[in-house]
Amino acid sequence: MSLIELPAEILLQIFDHVGSSYFRSDLSRLRVCKRWNGLAHIVCFREACITTKMLRRMASSPYAESSLREMEILDLNLEGFGTVRRGTVLDPKDSSWNYVPDQSSLQRRTMELNDDLVHLATIIKQSRKLRTLRIKAIKPSNPVFEIRETYLFPSTLRALLLSTNNLTALELDLYGTRPEPEGHPHHGDDGHVCPMIGALLPTLQRLRLRVRTICADALRPPRDFPGPLPLRVLLVDFVLTEELANEKSRFTARCGGPGRFVRLAQVVRGAVLSRARALLPHTSAPKMVRILTRTISGDEIQGINVLTGKNIKVRKGAEWDDDSEVMMD
């Protein structure tokens, strides 16, 4: 019996073992025959990894919507844009997507990025199988360019979070961006992301947040949810500027709409920690609950293991959910 003659369920198991990246790296691997294509297409687009560059192409593609219907895992890897520093001479062959000649181009690209993400959110609504959403926003490091940090609008994040109701895993790694300043047309009550995260808690088994600005609403489930929560892994990793890391700092950051301010870093951590502790009795089988802190320039990660109440330090270079931790006095 040839491979193509195997029952569909066995072929799907084989394709699952090979992985979606195998097909995405060379789409000609989908075109063996009609039966093969139908099954391989399902596996190929179960996991989608989309970059800033890909978003612009997807916006004009007539196949984007149909390709993402079978999506179960969505990874968004986003980068900000930058303008050339004054007096810098660039290589004329450098046509990098993330670098633009002037401020007007910078604003246009930023608006295009957010518009494309909102369009993607409308496609996600039609994907009934999406269970894992990961959004990573980084800040490219290059001494030749001035990088814009405010490239991801809170209202855009809100649209993405509201696009699905069946997530079991949510990871927001937003250390490379920050909310738009007060007065920006995209800023306001509708841009407050934290309650949108809390609204997803009834289905989430895994929640990882690495952010600069947050409030306790992110860990507040809907009042009418009877429980228990399925949450097994909860990791909140505060990424602080040097000013916020300073205990004497009076730096004020915005979290959501009018009247929602995050004042001292210590106050914010305390409120989020209190909410994490309050969630524990309402979770069915918590495995890992940590509130961590790091500075933008530092590699050391310290925090609290909420399950044990112990202060901990995570080893340098470790993943958020690394099991190794050092107890601190």
Side-chain angles (χ1 to χ4, degrees):
M1 178 183 292
S2 67
L3 182 63
I4 196 60
E5 293 175 319
L6 290 172
E9 59 272 18
I10 295 180
L11 266 180
L12 277 173
Q13 288 181 16
I14 294 173
F15 292 163
D16 276 331
H17 181 74
V18 171
S20 60
S21 59
Y22 171 79
F23 295 103
R24 291 201 309 272
S25 62
D26 184 357
L27 293 181
S28 66
R29 293 168 178 167
L30 295 172
R31 299 191 293 268
V32 173
C33 67
K34 185 175 181 180
R35 183 169 183 267
W36 176 287
N37 177 270
L39 297 172
H41 190 276
I42 293 174
V43 174
C44 178
F45 293 101
R46 273 181 179 167
E47 182 174 352
C49 183
I50 300 174
T51 64
T52 303
K53 294 179 181 179
M54 292 173 62
L55 268 172
R56 186 90 287 246
R57 294 196 295 268
M58 285 179 58
S60 59
S61 171
Y63 306 107
E65 188 170 331
S66 60
S67 297
L68 296 176
R69 280 179 183 162
E70 300 296 326
M71 178 176 57
E72 297 177 9
I73 300 173
L74 173 59
D75 279 303
L76 287 174
N77 293 309
L78 309 173
E79 289 184 273
F81 307 102
T83 55
V84 181
R85 294 186 186 277
R86 185 174 299 178
T88 302
V89 178
L90 290 180
D91 182 345
K93 297 180 180 179
D94 185 358
S95 58
S96 176
W97 169 272
N98 286 348
Y99 303 116
V100 294
D102 51 44
Q103 286 295 323
S104 62
S105 298
L106 183 66
Q107 293 175 0
R108 177 177 57 82
R109 286 287 177 87
T110 301
M111 291 297 297
E112 285 178 350
L113 171 62
N114 284 270
D115 288 344
D116 291 343
L117 286 170
V118 171
H119 176 66
L120 178 64
T122 63
I123 297 177
I124 292 175
K125 285 184 178 181
Q126 302 178 45
S127 177
R128 304 298 181 186
K129 297 183 179 181
L130 182 64
R131 295 295 179 267
T132 298
L133 175 61
R134 305 186 187 108
I135 305 176
K136 183 173 183 178
I138 68 172
K139 177 183 177 182
S141 177
N142 192 317
V144 176
F145 301 96
E146 295 181 4
I147 307 298
R148 180 188 178 98
E149 289 186 325
T150 54
Y151 65 89
L152 193 58
F153 301 150
S155 56
T156 301
L157 282 172
R158 183 178 183 273
L160 288 167
L161 294 177
L162 287 175
S163 64
T164 178
N165 297 317
N166 300 306
L167 287 182
T168 58
L170 174 64
E171 300 182 12
L172 299 181
D173 191 351
L174 307 179
Y175 74 94
T177 186
R178 57 185 175 86
E180 286 290 330
E182 186 178 359
H184 190 279
H186 284 76
H187 191 90
D189 280 325
D190 288 345
H192 190 201
V193 175
C194 298
M196 305 302 106
I197 299 172
L200 297 172
L201 285 173
T203 62
L204 289 179
Q205 298 176 21
R206 181 183 183 85
L207 175 60
R208 304 203 310 177
L209 304 172
R210 177 156 57 182
V211 294
R212 296 195 199 179
T213 306
I214 193 174
C215 73
D217 287 349
L219 303 185
R220 198 181 305 278
R223 292 182 180 180
D224 57 350
F225 179 69
L229 295 171
L231 198 63
R232 301 192 65 199
V233 175
L234 170 61
L235 299 172
V236 181
D237 187 358
F238 285 88
V239 181
L240 305 177
T241 62
E242 296 301 331
E243 291 86 357
L244 276 173
N246 184 348
E247 292 187 1
K248 297 181 180 180
S249 169
R250 295 295 169 180
F251 182 87
T252 301
R254 191 70 135 152
C255 185
R260 299 183 182 277
F261 289 91
V262 171
R263 291 185 174 85
L264 295 179
Q266 295 81 1
V267 173
V268 183
R269 288 197 300 269
V272 172
L273 178 59
S274 295
R275 281 304 311 158
R277 287 170 173 159
L279 280 180
L280 283 184
H282 303 285
T283 56
S284 55
K287 180 181 178 182
M288 180 183 295
V289 181
R290 292 175 177 172
I291 307 298
L292 306 172
T293 304
R294 77 176 81 198
T295 58
I296 290 178
S297 60
D299 293 319
E300 187 177 77
I301 308 174
Q302 298 183 5
I304 296 176
N305 183 329
V306 181
L307 293 176
T308 64
K310 300 290 187 179
N311 292 326
I312 60 172
K313 181 169 65 175
V314 181
R315 65 182 177 85
K316 182 178 179 180
E319 289 294 324
W320 294 1
D321 54 357
D322 193 289
D323 288 332
S324 63
E325 57 185 36
V326 178
M327 297 299 175
M328 302 174 62
D329 295 331

